[in-house]
Amino acid sequence: MYKIIIMILITLQLSFAASNETSPKLKKMIAQMLIIGFEDAKVDASSQIIQDIKKYELGGVILFDRFYDDRNRTKNIRSPKQLQALTKALQKASKKPLLISVDQEGGRVARLKPSYGFTQTPSAKEMGEGTLLEAKKAYKALAKTLHVNGINCNFAPVVDLSINPKNFVIYQLERSYGKSPLHVSQYAGAFIDALRSENVLSVLKHFPGHGSSLGDSHKGFVDVSDTWSKKELEPYRILIEQGKADMIMTAHVYNSRLDAKYPATLSYKINTELLRNTLGFKGVIISDDLQMKAISKHYSLAQTVTLAINAGVDILLFGNQLASQDIEELIETIYQEVQKGHIPLSRIQESNRRIEALHVKRTIKQRPITFKQERIEMTKQYIKQHYGLHVKDITIKPKMIVLHWTAVNSLEESYARLKPQRLYSDRKDIAKASALNVSAHYMVDRDGTIYQLMPDNFMARHVIGLNYCSIGVENIGGKDNTQEDLTPEQVQANINLIKYLTSKYPNIEYLIAHYEYRLMEKTALWLEKDDGYRTQKRDPGEKFMREVRAGVQALKLKGAHE
């Protein structure tokens, strides 16, 4: 009896928590977790997909060139001119950034075909048999095509291993780069780099491995229990460690060695315990199409969405190729499951944070400073001299974000100061401490554009005593180190960047201004050994910090006073 009462109280508590989010707001949060297929090649205000985007703030759409059951009938893609008009209209209808996605792998899996006027890309198998340089060139052209035509999310690359010659869906369609995890990772990495250069998100697929399967999950249940091996996880591990995994797509395969009850898409053990906890993936998990027979033949809609979300999936894909799913019904189904306490509200909130961070990541422009072996060795020496640590590499575990201004109101001048490996001769105030040049992980221009200058888990010299635990963000402004002139666009960009970084590095606890750094001297994070090495700072301004902190209040980051 006591247990029953406790369960009732827990259910009531969950329902109360869900009811605290207003119905329209919660439904929009749910809609952010959906990517939906639709039928039109041309849309206007009366189109259902446009109305759904406007009403619910839908997370994204997926485009196909042909209908699944009628290959002679055009669906969403017929020419570059038509596609550009379509993607522009879709994006214009959305208040938030809209994920516009396709499967453009190359070879036989390509929605943008040469017959419609698009560039041909070789299959993964062909790429893997050629040189890496050739792959980079081909993928650069593919990424450019996607960007020009308004596509910002590509369901590629495939990182399944070419294991089973009888496997139709991967091996026989030439969708794999090869048998070696390292080889696959290299070519997939080249694909990802090309997509990022055009601000297109990549999606690794199909986790935890589809290369050894005998069946096709489009058509029914696929069991890989007897054919799968841990080797199939290696490309994911490598690319996650390299920071190249934007999104990962789950496979609808059943593997009793990983979960005796559920297929991967619906498995907490596979998505959360294995992918997140063991492999360390912090990004967005997206399902494969939930209308595939491997799922739809065995689970109801309510069961499917509840199991998938609770398993750790952040975006649910309904391609509307294999079936037709009404968006209002879908959102209402998930909404009711939250209201009943079957899906915790915290899971909806968690997925929305990851999706928001993903959009920020996509807008970050890469502009690397010079970071060759000389800078790495000088960084190691700095760590030894100032922190008393002997390290094999210069990676850090970020626990803090430090905001700065450049004191120069020019992006180009500021970048030029940070780019060289050695300190400029006019920095006599800090030259005795090290010849290592000052740097930062990110730079925010006055219009709010974010640039990444170096890997954010490498140590940068930007704040005395705290470099070994902090990510530095420079803001263009603060002319002559006196004017508090940072812009509203920079305030918002810093807010977005902080949300992204705390999602990427959950162990970040502190957000401080450069002018506050000495308040951290009594903490365990302060490592400086030289008592005479200190400077006076006033960047990035008190007003700026107040506004940024107000924008990230929900993250509950500690300040220098705490």
Side-chain angles (χ1 to χ4, degrees):
M1 184 66 181
Y2 177 73
K3 289 183 178 178
I4 294 173
I5 293 171
I6 293 296
M7 289 177 66
I8 292 171
L9 289 172
I10 291 172
T11 302
L12 288 171
Q13 186 177 20
L14 289 169
S15 298
F16 177 74
S19 67
N20 279 342
E21 291 286 1
T22 62
S23 173
K25 181 180 178 182
L26 179 52
K27 288 182 179 181
K28 286 181 179 180
M29 292 172 70
I30 291 167
Q32 276 292 296
M33 298 170 63
L34 303 176
I35 289 183
I36 304 293
F38 62 100
E39 295 190 354
D40 311 302
K42 182 180 180 180
V43 294
D44 56 32
S46 65
S47 301
Q48 187 62 53
I49 189 64
I50 294 295
Q51 292 179 28
D52 289 333
I53 289 171
K54 288 183 174 180
K55 180 178 179 180
Y56 295 112
E57 297 179 7
L58 197 64
V61 297
I62 180 170
L63 307 182
F64 296 93
D65 56 330
R66 300 287 172 178
F67 282 79
Y68 186 80
D69 55 359
D70 186 355
R71 299 297 182 181
N72 295 316
R73 186 180 169 200
T74 299
K75 195 167 189 180
N76 307 124
I77 302 167
R78 62 165 64 113
S79 72
K81 184 177 180 180
Q82 168 270 325
L83 180 57
Q84 289 167 25
L86 176 63
T87 56
K88 184 177 180 180
L90 291 167
Q91 205 64 257
K92 185 178 180 181
S94 183
K95 293 180 181 178
K96 294 183 176 181
L98 184 74
L99 289 176
I100 302 180
S101 57
V102 294
D103 291 279
Q104 191 71 9
E105 300 171 14
R108 292 172 66 180
V109 182
R111 312 305 182 205
L112 281 63
K113 293 180 171 64
S115 58
Y116 311 148
F118 300 102
T119 305
Q120 173 72 43
T121 305
S123 70
K125 180 178 182 291
E126 292 177 272
M127 288 291 199
E129 291 172 347
T131 68
L132 202 54
L133 185 61
E134 290 170 333
K136 289 179 180 179
K137 184 177 179 180
Y139 285 140
K140 180 66 178 175
L142 184 155
K144 184 73 173 177
T145 296
L146 293 176
H147 176 77
V148 167
N149 288 284
I151 308 295
N152 57 26
C153 180
N154 189 15
F155 291 160
V158 170
V159 294
D160 295 314
L161 302 183
S162 186
I163 294 174
N164 186 352
K166 295 181 179 180
N167 176 303
F168 171 75
V169 72
I170 303 297
Y171 190 102
Q172 293 181 22
L173 289 179
E174 299 188 353
R175 298 172 72 191
S176 173
Y177 296 106
K179 295 180 181 179
S180 162
L182 182 58
H183 183 79
V184 168
S185 302
Q186 288 175 328
Y187 283 80
F191 199 166
I192 293 165
D193 289 343
L195 292 172
R196 284 188 176 178
S197 72
E198 296 292 338
N199 284 348
V200 179
L201 293 166
S202 60
V203 180
L204 305 182
K205 59 186 187 184
H206 308 80
F207 188 82
H210 211 316
S212 62
S213 68
L214 288 168
D216 182 351
S217 54
H218 289 78
K219 299 176 180 178
F221 191 78
V222 176
D223 190 340
V224 298
S225 303
D226 296 330
T227 56
W228 182 88
S229 69
K230 288 185 178 179
K231 180 182 179 182
E232 296 181 58
L233 297 175
E234 279 300 289
Y236 295 98
R237 182 190 62 79
I238 292 168
L239 292 166
I240 289 168
E241 289 181 357
Q242 291 177 348
K244 292 191 176 183
D246 295 333
M247 303 168 70
I248 293 179
M249 178 179 283
T250 62
H252 299 328
V253 295
Y254 172 78
N255 188 337
S256 62
R257 293 157 63 186
L258 298 177
D259 190 327
K261 188 173 183 180
Y262 295 114
T265 302
L266 309 183
S267 170
Y268 180 87
K269 290 181 179 179
I270 292 173
N271 292 300
T272 297
E273 293 182 0
L274 177 58
L275 181 52
R276 293 213 186 278
N277 298 345
T278 301
L279 296 182
F281 180 59
K282 306 300 181 186
V284 169
I285 298 176
I286 180 172
S287 75
D288 206 339
D289 192 342
L290 289 170
Q291 292 168 320
M292 290 182 182
K293 301 300 183 184
I295 299 296
S296 62
K297 281 177 66 175
H298 302 280
Y299 301 92
S300 69
L301 179 62
Q303 288 173 325
T304 297
V305 297
T306 300
L307 286 168
I309 293 171
N310 288 343
V313 175
D314 301 302
I315 294 180
L316 308 178
L317 174 60
F318 287 82
N320 283 328
Q321 281 280 80
L322 305 171
S324 180
Q325 176 59 60
D326 179 75
I327 295 177
E328 185 173 359
E329 178 196 15
L330 176 56
I331 293 172
E332 185 64 30
T333 298
I334 300 172
Y335 176 77
Q336 290 300 327
E337 292 301 296
V338 176
Q339 292 298 308
K340 294 173 185 176
H342 297 166
I343 299 174
L345 176 62
S346 60
R347 272 295 298 120
I348 305 298
Q349 294 168 328
E350 181 181 50
S351 290
N352 271 251
R353 286 194 295 271
R354 290 196 185 110
I355 294 164
E356 186 178 357
L358 184 72
H359 284 295
V360 175
K361 182 178 185 178
R362 188 178 64 80
T363 64
I364 295 172
K365 297 182 181 297
Q366 300 298 314
R367 192 170 186 184
I369 57 177
T370 306
F371 222 109
K372 298 180 180 179
Q373 195 60 38
E374 181 183 15
R375 197 169 203 150
I376 292 173
E377 293 305 321
M378 284 193 292
T379 303
K380 288 181 181 178
Q381 184 58 37
Y382 187 101
I383 293 169
K384 179 181 177 182
Q385 178 183 344
H386 289 273
Y387 306 149
L389 301 174
H390 299 262
V391 297
K392 293 181 180 180
D393 57 49
I394 62 169
T395 58
I396 64 171
K397 295 180 179 179
K399 296 182 180 180
M400 176 186 302
I401 298 169
V402 183
L403 304 186
H404 306 256
W405 68 30
T406 59
V408 178
N409 285 41
S410 164
L411 174 71
E412 297 305 324
E413 288 182 38
S414 298
Y415 177 76
R417 298 287 300 186
L418 303 181
K419 184 179 180 181
Q421 301 188 101
R422 288 184 167 270
L423 195 66
Y424 274 79
S425 59
D426 60 0
R427 293 304 307 270
K428 293 182 174 58
D429 56 330
I430 59 173
K432 290 182 180 179
S434 174
L436 173 67
N437 195 16
V438 295
S439 55
H441 302 89
Y442 295 91
M443 184 178 286
V444 182
D445 203 357
R446 298 186 67 75
D447 65 358
T449 304
I450 303 171
Y451 296 89
Q452 184 167 3
L453 307 184
M454 57 182 284
D456 50 27
N457 65 341
F458 277 19
M459 196 193 92
R461 182 184 183 184
H462 63 98
V463 55
I464 295 170
L466 300 168
N467 293 311
Y468 203 61
C469 66
S470 63
I471 294 175
V473 181
E474 287 279 0
N475 288 275
I476 304 301
K479 188 177 180 182
D480 299 326
N481 218 24
T482 59
Q483 296 183 21
E484 292 197 21
D485 60 357
L486 300 182
T487 67
E489 291 80 8
Q490 286 174 303
V491 170
Q492 189 58 53
N494 277 257
I495 290 169
N496 294 341
L497 183 56
I498 291 163
K499 289 180 178 179
Y500 161 64
L501 291 172
T502 52
S503 175
K504 184 176 182 180
Y505 298 108
N507 290 329
I508 290 177
E509 298 179 65
Y510 290 88
L511 170 66
I512 72 167
H514 198 191
Y515 65 79
E516 298 172 318
Y517 83 97
R518 295 198 63 178
L519 296 173
M520 301 296 295
E521 290 190 46
K522 301 296 183 181
T523 71
L525 297 178
W526 182 270
L527 299 179
E528 183 57 56
K529 300 290 184 183
D530 184 352
D531 291 335
Y533 180 37
R534 305 287 188 275
T535 56
Q536 289 296 117
K537 296 294 177 182
R538 62 186 308 267
D539 59 311
E542 293 183 10
K543 178 177 179 290
F544 181 79
M545 286 305 299
R546 283 196 303 271
E547 292 174 347
V548 171
R549 283 190 165 120
V552 297
Q553 188 174 8
L555 298 177
K556 298 180 180 178
L557 296 171
K558 298 176 184 176
H561 301 277
E562 300 174 66

